[in-house]
Amino acid sequence: MSSIAALVGSPSTGSRTVSLVEHIAGRLAGRLAGRLAGDGHDVRVVPVRSLPAEALLGADPGDPLVADAVAAVGAADGVVVASPIYKAACSGVLTTFLDLLPQAALAGKAVLPC
Ligand SMILES: Cc1cc2nc3c(=O)[nH]c(=O)nc-3n(C[C@H](O)[C@H](O)[C@H](O)COP(=O)(O)O)c2cc1C
């Protein structure tokens, strides 16, 4: 079983990005129509908006919640990165988190941007 970290980069509640990631996470976990349908991956959804804003804006990798989320990406075999598009770029909240990842954090991993 592979481990997957799924980053939700929307700053909004009631977000379509959340719905998209929940759908992808469910399929990766092996759920079909709400039921387990065979072996799936171990999926952890990381809603970046729930991490402490002061640590993200201050680029503080020592914050425990931020460090835990960074470690989840580091330990994953695959990473889903989902963001709304604002002015032809990914969201600022996602950028603050991606900026905290070590330089080679995604090396050798399957990455699905969406
Ligand atoms: C200020 C602003 C700028 C946006 N810029 C773009 C854009 O450049 N390209 C695009 O395709 N959509 C753009 N959108 C649309 C959002 O990406 C879209 O509504 C997205 O689904 C919002 O995601 P959410 O539901 O997870 O918050 C923009 C929306 C807002 C509010």
Side-chain angles (χ1 to χ4, degrees):
M1 181 188 294
S2 298
S3 64
I4 312 287
L7 306 178
V8 182
S10 178
S12 309
T13 55
S15 154
R16 283 179 282 188
T17 308
V18 171
S19 301
L20 175 66
V21 171
E22 284 176 351
H23 177 75
I24 293 171
R27 295 304 298 264
L28 288 171
R31 283 194 297 275
L32 207 51
R35 284 181 294 193
L36 279 178
D39 292 339
H41 301 294
D42 180 18
V43 185
R44 174 168 167 188
V45 175
V46 179
V48 176
R49 75 183 295 276
S50 71
L51 297 174
E54 193 171 338
L56 291 175
L57 292 174
D60 175 12
D63 177 271
L65 294 175
V66 170
D68 180 59
V70 168
V73 173
D77 302 298
V79 184
V80 175
V81 185
S83 176
I85 300 299
Y86 296 135
K87 304 198 173 159
C90 70
S91 71
V93 69
L94 178 64
T95 301
T96 60
F97 180 71
L98 295 179
D99 286 350
L100 287 170
L101 294 177
Q103 191 172 353
L106 302 180
K109 301 181 193 302
V111 178
L112 174 66
C114 52

